[in-house]
Amino acid sequence: MTRHAFDTKKIVLLAILTAIVIALQIAAIVTRPLFPMFSITLVLVPIVIGAALIGAWAGAWLGLVFGFAVLISGDAAPFMVIDPFGTVAVVLIKGMLAGLAAGFVYKLLSKKDKTIAAITAAIVCPLVNTGIFIVGSYVFFLPTLTQWGAAAGYASATAFIFLAMVGLNFLVELAINFVLSPTIVRLIQYRSSAKGE
């Protein structure tokens, strides 16, 4: 197989994953009224898959697309009112770095064991995504989150961030990513090796 054909396959896969990221973000918005207490996203799954199968740069690109989709969809509107610059920075950076980190972790560990690499990348992606959101919340939105937390009956902004805003959502996203991403990556790799690609 020529390098050109290999690169073309990566570009096609990246285009497909980009479309999936956008579609999943739209689906999350459409289904939000059904699950008003949750803001769980499946978008991290294609980000991990792209990071593992194509590379860290692809993970970063897919994370950036995720960030733009969040901003355009109005999903970050409550934060835009507080600090537009902080909102844009946090939303774009958290997605991009989550994909980048997943790609680097996968590349580093895949030399020893591809399954462990995929599982670890699937864990790292939501950890980085949520971690940067938490840091950004403290840097840009703390006074408002303190008020929101007090209004909701929380003792502090920290309790509000970890229990109301992140909490269960993060655990469910982590579990979904932990199961789906490595499974899909391994299936694609198995199919490719079976076809001799």
Side-chain angles (χ1 to χ4, degrees):
M1 178 187 299
T2 66
R3 178 172 176 79
H4 175 70
F6 184 66
D7 288 345
T8 302
K9 281 190 168 189
K10 284 186 173 182
I11 291 168
V12 170
L13 179 58
L14 184 60
I16 291 168
L17 291 171
T18 300
I20 291 171
V21 164
I22 294 167
L24 286 174
Q25 182 57 31
I26 291 169
I29 294 160
V30 170
T31 58
R32 180 85 23 90
L34 301 174
F35 309 101
M37 295 299 292
F38 299 97
S39 115
I40 295 164
T41 179
L42 298 175
V43 175
L44 298 181
V45 173
I47 292 172
V48 172
I49 292 167
L53 295 178
I54 304 170
W57 64 270
W61 162 255
L62 293 166
L64 195 61
V65 169
F66 168 43
F68 276 114
V70 167
L71 292 171
I72 291 168
S73 70
D75 227 12
F79 293 96
M80 287 292 276
V81 175
I82 304 166
D83 186 333
F85 171 79
T87 302
V88 171
V90 170
V91 169
L92 295 182
I93 291 171
K94 75 183 182 70
M96 188 174 67
L97 289 184
L100 195 64
F104 280 132
V105 165
Y106 183 83
K107 183 176 181 182
L108 182 69
L109 297 178
S110 65
K111 295 167 188 170
K112 302 256 182 199
D113 188 311
K114 290 188 186 312
T115 302
I116 290 172
I119 290 169
T120 307
I123 293 169
V124 165
C125 189
L127 277 174
V128 171
N129 185 60
T130 302
I132 291 173
F133 172 76
I134 290 169
V135 170
S137 294
Y138 280 103
V139 172
F140 296 107
F141 316 118
L142 189 58
T144 303
L145 293 179
T146 302
Q147 293 173 1
W148 290 357
Y154 288 89
S156 65
T158 298
F160 181 67
I161 291 168
F162 280 88
L163 298 176
M165 296 181 68
V166 176
L168 183 60
N169 291 354
F170 168 72
L171 294 175
V172 173
E173 284 176 5
L174 182 64
I176 290 169
N177 230 36
F178 181 80
V179 172
L180 291 183
S181 297
T183 303
I184 294 168
V185 167
R186 294 300 289 153
L187 286 172
I188 292 171
Q189 287 173 336
Y190 175 77
R191 183 178 175 273
S192 295
S193 64
K195 290 173 69 176
E197 296 174 353

